[in-house]
Amino acid sequence: MDIKITPHALSGRLRAIASKSDAHRVLICAALCDGAGDAFDALCARFVGGEAGFDPSEDILATIACLRAFKSGAQIPTLDCGESGSTLRFLLPVAMAVADAAAFDGHGRLPERPLGELKREMEAHGCKFSAPCLPFTVRGRLTGGTYTLPGNVSSQYVTGLLLALPMLGSDSRIVLTSKLQSAAYVEMTLRTLRAFGIRICETADGYEIPGNQRYTWPQKLAVEGDWSNAAFFLTAGMLGSPVTVTDLMPDSPQADRAIAVLLAGFGADCKNAGGDYTVAPAADGKPMRIDVSECPDLFPILSVAAAGVCGETVLENAARLRLKESDRIQTTAQMLQALGGNVSEREDALVIYGTGKLCGGCVDSCGDHRIAMAAAIASVLCEEPVVIGHAEAVRKSYPRFFEDFRQLGGIADVIGTGK
């Protein structure tokens, strides 16, 4: 699907959709609760049915499908993770904590994304993989003990183990050999585990996980509003006219709540009224130097914000972004260049030479949802229309994105089905 956007300022008020990151964790914990079948099915139905605020993103639907396959009673369930790295990395150890065998598959770039350290530790604790990369079948129950991981590879490995190890028959430890990156995502996992009655002890170098624990349904179950996707529309407020996104938690463990501080750093006027965040342009913007290691998903939209101010902005410590749905350093650079921006790509960074405006042009999303959404917001800075190829990529995390874009006054027309 190709979409043509006619430049127009966005303004108005939107409700944040449910956080994809939080939803993965809540759904998995809910599925692991004894005797909660009807409640789990009802929770899944809210996403599948697209209840207000619960967008049925492809990643969340992949997790739901995997959990349903797992609960189907099949001797060797097949878990198709789609293109969702979270689904795969979370469910690998979870599945092998409670089953003797499971088959895993995935699509797009998912088979290319790293699993090495997690796979190695699982193999050292009772599991055998039929192949080095997807698709594969895993056999053998996970056993307790000490799991050693580098902290600077993927926090998703840590989350997967934290979800799985409490169910084992013996105690376990996770030892991190380096500083944990994206630590906020692990804090989100710990918060969800506590809500479901699971005890985890943090240590100086990792975590201690008592075995023989059981997941219990919480008295109050909620999924946070999504800071990652709110970031796109909040940035539109900085670039054009005021935009408000509601139902965001100021104390959320989501790393991407940093967007409010970062946009203020660029010079935007940011206000919070009980979780309703409003961002408006400031008189003078200023470039920044931003370490994105703790909030890598903000990289594409921060590059658009940087194009909206005059001067040299550096987004650094971004090497892991080359392993996302696209090589996100490269595709972000290509997006801005296609729209008339001036950037310099480095091995682990991007330098944006902002001028406060862009020209317009044609952008290929490269199948990356965050590139498609960032290009749409970049249209606010453009003098000519923006055409986004493969704009359907937004379905991965935010299927309603273009509907919400239009609700704020954006002009977006489907002009082709793509190739």
Side-chain angles (χ1 to χ4, degrees), residues 10-198:
L10 304 184
S11 64
R13 186 180 183 91
L14 285 176
R15 177 184 178 182
I17 64 170
S19 163
K20 182 164 71 78
S21 297
D22 196 27
H24 281 301
R25 291 158 171 82
V26 168
L27 284 163
I28 292 169
C29 291
L32 295 173
C33 290
D34 292 334
D38 290 344
F40 170 70
D41 290 341
L43 177 62
C44 291
R46 299 179 75 182
F47 286 97
V48 175
E51 182 179 315
F54 288 79
D55 249 21
S57 71
E58 290 179 349
D59 281 8
I60 292 302
L61 293 180
T63 288
I64 290 173
C66 286
L67 292 171
R68 285 176 168 169
F70 191 73
K71 292 168 71 69
S72 69
Q75 186 175 6
I76 304 179
T78 297
L79 280 61
D80 187 339
C81 301
E83 296 186 41
S84 174
S86 295
T87 304
L88 175 62
R89 291 163 173 169
F90 293 175
L91 289 182
L92 257 177
V94 167
M96 305 323 297
V98 294
D100 295 323
F104 289 84
D105 202 354
H107 308 285
R109 292 192 73 190
L110 187 59
E112 304 169 30
R113 296 176 68 177
L115 277 177
E117 290 80 2
L118 179 59
K119 178 174 175 287
R120 182 197 68 220
E121 288 301 297
M122 290 180 64
E123 289 174 330
H125 292 83
C127 298
K128 293 184 179 180
F129 288 69
S130 65
C133 61
L134 291 173
F136 51 59
T137 297
V138 189
R139 299 180 186 273
R141 290 283 184 113
L142 207 60
T143 60
T146 299
Y147 290 75
T148 304
L149 292 169
N152 61 350
V153 177
S154 175
S155 66
Q156 292 175 348
Y157 299 166
V158 178
T159 284
L161 290 172
L162 287 172
L163 291 167
L165 297 181
M167 297 183 290
L168 303 186
S170 58
D171 298 347
S172 301
R173 292 181 63 213
I174 298 175
V175 175
L176 301 176
T177 59
S178 59
K179 182 181 177 182
L180 180 64
Q181 288 193 0
S182 298
Y185 289 102
V186 175
E187 176 54 36
M188 178 185 294
T189 304
L190 294 171
R191 182 181 292 196
T192 305
L193 287 169
R194 288 192 291 267
F196 281 86
I198 298 297

Side-chain angles (χ1 to χ4, degrees), residues 290-308:
I290 302 173
D291 181 340
V292 299
S293 61
E294 293 298 318
C295 53
D297 286 344
L298 294 180
F299 186 90
I301 194 58
L302 286 175
S303 76
V304 174

Side-chain angles (χ1 to χ4, degrees), residues 334-342 353 355 357-361 382:
Q334 291 171 344
M335 170 194 69
L336 288 179
Q337 289 167 337
L339 298 177
N342 184 10
Y353 306 98
T355 62
K357 61 182 180 179
L358 294 169
C359 300
C382 292

